[in-house]
């Protein structure tokens, strides 16, 4: 079970944008430079974040990205699912209905207990990520990191 | 994020073996036939389950597989991790220490908040799967399925 590498990039970029003051934006290039990320790959994650309504993209020579809403309203789950998609990592193929052990349709009216256990675990994972906001992540940064980000990002 | 297909096979096979009475075993071929699974692929999952101490393999012409312990002692997590491995789906590459936003080693003494949120979610997923045993899964089967399995598996 593995999340795509873009998840780490996405959460870091959104966390950084949450530290930009006012209406200022950061360009794709600036975002890539902050963490030494390959700009062309990062472009895909940024597009996904815009599509999910987490970021706004502005156009023009001074165009870039900013948060579409407040960092208190964006959960880590929102960012993870924008980038990695929304899908239960367990795909039930209903093998209980196949082969010599096959159960009849009447015996399969309820979802399989295995599927239910896997889905409950997936929901526990989602709930946990939903309980942390980007504002929490920012608050949790060392003060020295936050003030450096503030200074650096406001001067461009 | 995706679990390997073998997880569904593995949990179903372990659940089936939990319904076999006494010391009887089921051969790899019989297990594959129960759910119409490709025997050669299933071999790999069965080996992983033996390596993890969940199944015992017996050799000889009547050789096969049986549970190594009681179904109350085997959790769904045990089976999932035997087959899919034990690894946090989020791999932190410490990008916070790279690029223009790089934090100093002193600022990184604590794990990154993003990493901690992802790890907490992973542990919530594991705890959820650890709370369900194979005995629970068997108990949850329709009685008609259980009695048919019992009859079919004891006659071979």
């Amino acid at each position: 079970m593995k999340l795509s590498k873009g998840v780490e990039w996405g959460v870091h970029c959104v966390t950084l944008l949450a530290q930009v003051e006012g209406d200022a934006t950061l360009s794709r290039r600036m975002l890539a430079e902050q963490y030494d990320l390959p700009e062309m790959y990062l472009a895909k994650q940024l597009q996904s974040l815009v599509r999910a309504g987490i970021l706004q993209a502005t156009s023009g020579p001074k165009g870039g990205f900013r948060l579409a809403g407040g960092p208190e309203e964006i959960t880590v789950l929102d960012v993870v699912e924008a980038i990695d998609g929304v899908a239960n990592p367990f795909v039930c193929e209903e093998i209980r209905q196949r082969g010599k052990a096959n159960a009849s349709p009447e015996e399969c009216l309820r979802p399989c207990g295995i599927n239910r256990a896997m889905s409950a675990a997936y929901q526990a994972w989602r709930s946990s990520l939903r309980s942390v906001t980007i504002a929490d992540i920012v608050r949790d940064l060392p003060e020295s990191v936050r003030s450096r980000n503030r200074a650096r990002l406001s001067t461009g």
Side-chain angles (χ1 to χ4, degrees), chain A:
Chain A
M1 194 163 70
K2 204 157 182 243
L3 284 163
S4 67
K5 194 183 268 197
V7 167
E8 185 182 14
W9 303 358
V11 188
H12 273 287
C13 286
V14 172
T15 301
L16 204 62
L17 287 167
Q19 297 169 69
V20 174
E21 293 183 335
D23 254 1
T25 61
L26 293 184
S27 69
R28 187 176 71 188
R29 180 157 171 211
M30 281 178 70
L31 282 166
E33 283 174 355
Q34 299 306 309
Y35 298 110
D36 236 345
L37 303 173
E39 192 183 334
M40 289 303 141
Y41 287 120
L42 181 63
K44 192 178 155 241
Q45 329 301 343
L46 294 172
Q47 274 164 21
S48 300
L49 290 165
V50 169
R51 218 168 10 238
I54 294 169
L55 300 187
Q56 274 179 349
T58 63
S59 52
K62 289 216 142 198
F65 298 89
R66 67 163 79 97
L67 293 198
E72 298 285 358
E73 268 77 56
I74 306 169
T75 70
V76 174
L77 181 67
D78 293 331
V79 181
V80 170
E81 293 196 332
I83 288 175
D84 204 63
V86 183
N88 189 328
F90 177 76
V91 178
C92 171
E93 296 196 328
E94 282 285 321
I95 67 171
R96 64 175 172 168
Q97 301 199 42
R98 296 175 3 192
K100 292 194 177 173
N102 73 93
S104 68
E106 294 71 38
E107 287 165 336
C108 298
L109 295 177
R110 279 202 316 161
C112 172
I114 297 170
N115 193 4
R116 274 181 287 132
M118 300 303 298
S119 296
Y122 174 51
Q123 293 308 333
W125 179 84
R126 295 185 77 229
S127 292
S128 180
L129 291 181
R130 199 189 286 115
S131 73
V132 184
T133 67
I134 296 300
D136 294 329
I137 301 282
V138 172
R139 261 192 298 274
D140 191 69
L141 290 170
E143 172 50 33
S144 53
V145 170
R146 266 183 289 152
S147 59
R148 214 165 52 234
N149 284 340
R150 212 159 35 228
R152 197 179 63 256
L153 302 177
S154 54
T155 60

